[in-house]
């Protein structure tokens, strides 16, 4: 395995293998305590975790975060302006039993959850569960938004692959344990006693596990739609440079025409979905501190035909070339880095 392959494996499977590595990485990206953040800081934090951010008015996307890491639990409170988050996270062929569970509790403001052609309005008290893989978008719409983000370890995802939650189970309006989770998370942000903080962290972890388990149990009763199966194929095979609609249609035993019909009326196309998956993977690899990463190797690993194609598409999508993105991301994490080589 090359150094790039090793780095790619670590980045892609953070949620499935190294819990301590995930929490340590997040704590470096977002230091504990109160911090002013803007559009650039939000993007740097979320992109390597599988989120793509967009800002209708970057100047208004400012806020304050307060974070704490306690044992196997990370709590972060954000209070500030609106922005949108697109979650696209691929699965792995044989995931580990222990993974990361992430959820948001909307405290103030309004948001909308978008998954495929489904849209769901969210208000204060809504709970959003982010599964270890899948595809959904959250648009924080109010001028002022306050939310609590909780990340912790869980075994309840087991070794499930592919999308594991329906839209109706990702967003929960009357989650019975949400008030208790919000109260514990709020306490963790202010507790100075280490023993009390550890106890609160353990209790919060159990509440998160119970909530996620209930959502998974409900989702297992629903069939997986064809669009989700197409995306699952793209996530598993996007590194293949010659991957196209014919290959995916053949794997799913459907016609090419039927495959394209799944995108009728959608905001994206087969080609744009494949391109975003490849770009997200490229961004994750670039966020790794591995000194042997080059643009050419990133392109080869993520299915782009050349370093030049990756650089052009990456700049169009993220607004900066891969070298600048890597330098800014590692600098935000406080990690040392060398200049990104082309070949």
């Amino acid at each position: 395995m090359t150094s790039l392959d090793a780095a790619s494996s670590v980045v892609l499977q953070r949620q499935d293998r190294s819990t301590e590595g995930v929490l340590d990485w997040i704590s470096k990206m977002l230091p504990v305590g109160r911090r002013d953040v803007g559009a650039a800081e939000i993007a740097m934090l979320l992109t390597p975790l599988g989120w793509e951010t967009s800002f209708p008015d970057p100047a208004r996307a400012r806020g304050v975060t307060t974070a704490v890491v306690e044992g196997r639990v990370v709590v972060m409170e954000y209070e500030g302006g609106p922005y949108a988050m697109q979650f696209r996270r691929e699965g792995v062929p044989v995931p580990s039993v222990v993974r990361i569970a992430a959820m948001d509790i909307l405290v103030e403001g309004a948001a909308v959850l978008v998954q495929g052609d489904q849209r769901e309005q969210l208000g204060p008290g809504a709970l959003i569960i982010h599964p270890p893989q899948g595809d959904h978008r959250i648009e924080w719409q109010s001028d002022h938004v306050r939310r609590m983000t909780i990340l912790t370890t869980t075994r309840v995802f087991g070794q499930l692959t592919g999308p594991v939650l329906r839209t109706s189970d990702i967003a929960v309006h009357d989650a019975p344990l949400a008030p208790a989770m919000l109260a514990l998370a709020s306490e963790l942000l202010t507790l100075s006693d280490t023993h009390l903080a550890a106890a609160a962290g353990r209790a919060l972890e159990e509440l998160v596990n119970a909530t996620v388990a209930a959502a998974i149990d409900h989702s297992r009763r629903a069939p997986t739609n064809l669009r989700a199966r197409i995306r699952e194929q793209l996530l598993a095979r996007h590194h293949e440079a010659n991957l196209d609609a014919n290959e995916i249609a053949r794997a799913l035993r459907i016609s090419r025409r039927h495959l394209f019909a799944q995108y009728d009326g959608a905001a994206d196309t087969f080609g744009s979905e494949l391109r975003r998956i490849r770009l997200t993977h490229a961004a994750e690899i670039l966020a790794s501190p591995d000194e042997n990463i080059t643009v050419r190797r990133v392109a080869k690993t993520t299915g782009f035909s050349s370093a030049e194609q990756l650089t052009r598409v990456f700049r169009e999508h993220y607004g900066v070339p891969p070298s600048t993105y890597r330098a800014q991301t590692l600098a935000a994490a406080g990690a040392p880095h060398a200049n990104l080589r082309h070949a």
Side-chain angles (χ1 to χ4, degrees):
M1 175 180 290
T2 66
S3 58
L4 178 64
D5 291 334
S8 173
S9 177
V10 170
V11 172
L12 285 176
Q13 299 184 28
R14 277 195 182 102
Q15 299 194 45
D16 298 282
R17 290 189 174 179
S18 176
T19 297
E20 292 182 0
V22 175
L23 301 184
D24 179 63
W25 182 77
I26 293 173
S27 67
K28 289 179 180 177
M29 287 292 291
L30 188 68
V32 172
R34 185 179 177 87
R35 180 184 180 188
D36 293 327
V37 295
E41 290 83 2
I42 294 171
M44 291 298 177
L45 171 67
L46 296 178
T47 298
L49 290 173
W51 290 97
E52 296 176 14
T53 54
S54 58
F55 306 90
D57 184 354
R60 296 173 58 211
R62 304 198 62 84
V64 176
T65 61
T66 306
V68 63
V69 179
E70 178 55 51
R72 294 178 295 180
V73 176
V74 174
V75 173
M76 181 183 76
E77 183 179 41
Y78 170 82
E79 185 170 6
Y83 61 96
M85 304 159 53
Q86 178 72 51
F87 177 80
R88 293 186 176 93
R89 191 63 158 171
E90 65 182 81
V92 293
V94 184
S96 174
V97 172
V98 179
R99 302 197 235 181
I100 292 292
M103 61 177 55
D104 282 302
I105 301 176
L106 184 56
V107 183
E108 297 177 10
V112 62
L113 170 67
V114 183
Q115 190 175 41
D117 58 356
Q118 302 179 61
R119 297 177 64 88
E120 185 172 358
Q121 293 293 327
L122 306 174
L127 175 70
I128 306 166
I129 303 172
H130 307 296
Q133 62 266 359
D135 184 348
H136 59 274
R137 177 181 176 87
I138 301 173
E139 299 172 358
W140 306 101
Q141 298 177 320
S142 302
D143 288 339
H144 179 82
V145 172
R146 185 160 72 96
R147 76 174 196 275
M148 190 74 74
T149 301
I150 305 168
L151 297 94
T152 184
T153 59
T154 183
R155 292 177 177 270
V156 297
F157 287 121
Q159 293 187 303
L160 295 172
T161 59
V164 296
L165 295 178
R166 295 177 299 169
T167 302
S168 58
D169 298 312
I170 290 176
V172 186
H173 293 276
D174 299 308
L177 300 180
M181 286 190 288
L182 180 59
L184 279 171
S186 300
E187 285 297 319
L188 271 172
L189 294 175
T190 59
L191 281 174
S192 57
D193 186 289
T194 56
H195 296 292
L196 290 177
R202 289 193 297 269
L204 183 57
E205 183 181 1
E206 292 301 319
L207 293 177
V208 170
N209 285 340
T211 300
V212 173
I216 291 176
D217 182 63
H218 192 265
S219 283
R220 280 174 174 170
R221 307 184 193 123
T224 303
N225 61 37
L226 181 55
R227 178 68 186 273
R229 291 170 59 205
I230 293 171
R231 180 165 182 79
E232 187 174 6
Q233 284 285 322
L234 294 178
L235 290 170
R237 301 178 58 185
H238 68 275
H239 61 280
E240 301 174 19
N242 296 323
L243 185 65
D244 59 15
N246 290 330
E247 289 292 327
I248 299 300
R250 188 178 300 114
L252 296 175
R253 298 183 179 180
I254 61 175
S255 69
R256 189 169 180 268
R257 181 176 180 180
H258 189 40
L259 183 149
F260 285 131
Q262 306 310 306
Y263 295 86
D264 288 348
D268 56 359
T269 64
F270 174 84
S272 65
E273 184 170 21
L274 175 57
R275 184 167 55 252
R276 280 196 302 268
I277 290 171
R278 286 172 167 166
L279 284 168
T280 299
H281 188 176
E284 291 179 322
I285 298 174
L286 290 167
S288 167
D290 191 294
E291 295 181 356
N292 295 315
I293 290 176
T294 66
V295 178
R296 189 180 302 278
R297 289 182 178 179
V298 175
K300 183 178 180 180
T301 302
T302 55
F304 288 97
S305 61
S306 65
E308 290 75 17
Q309 184 196 32
L310 169 60
T311 299
R312 175 177 56 79
V313 177
F314 196 98
R315 185 194 292 271
E316 290 174 354
H317 187 77
Y318 289 105
V320 294
S323 57
T324 301
Y325 177 86
R326 174 174 170 79
Q328 292 176 345
T329 301
L330 294 180
H337 65 280
N339 291 332
L340 182 64
R341 292 179 288 120
H342 186 78

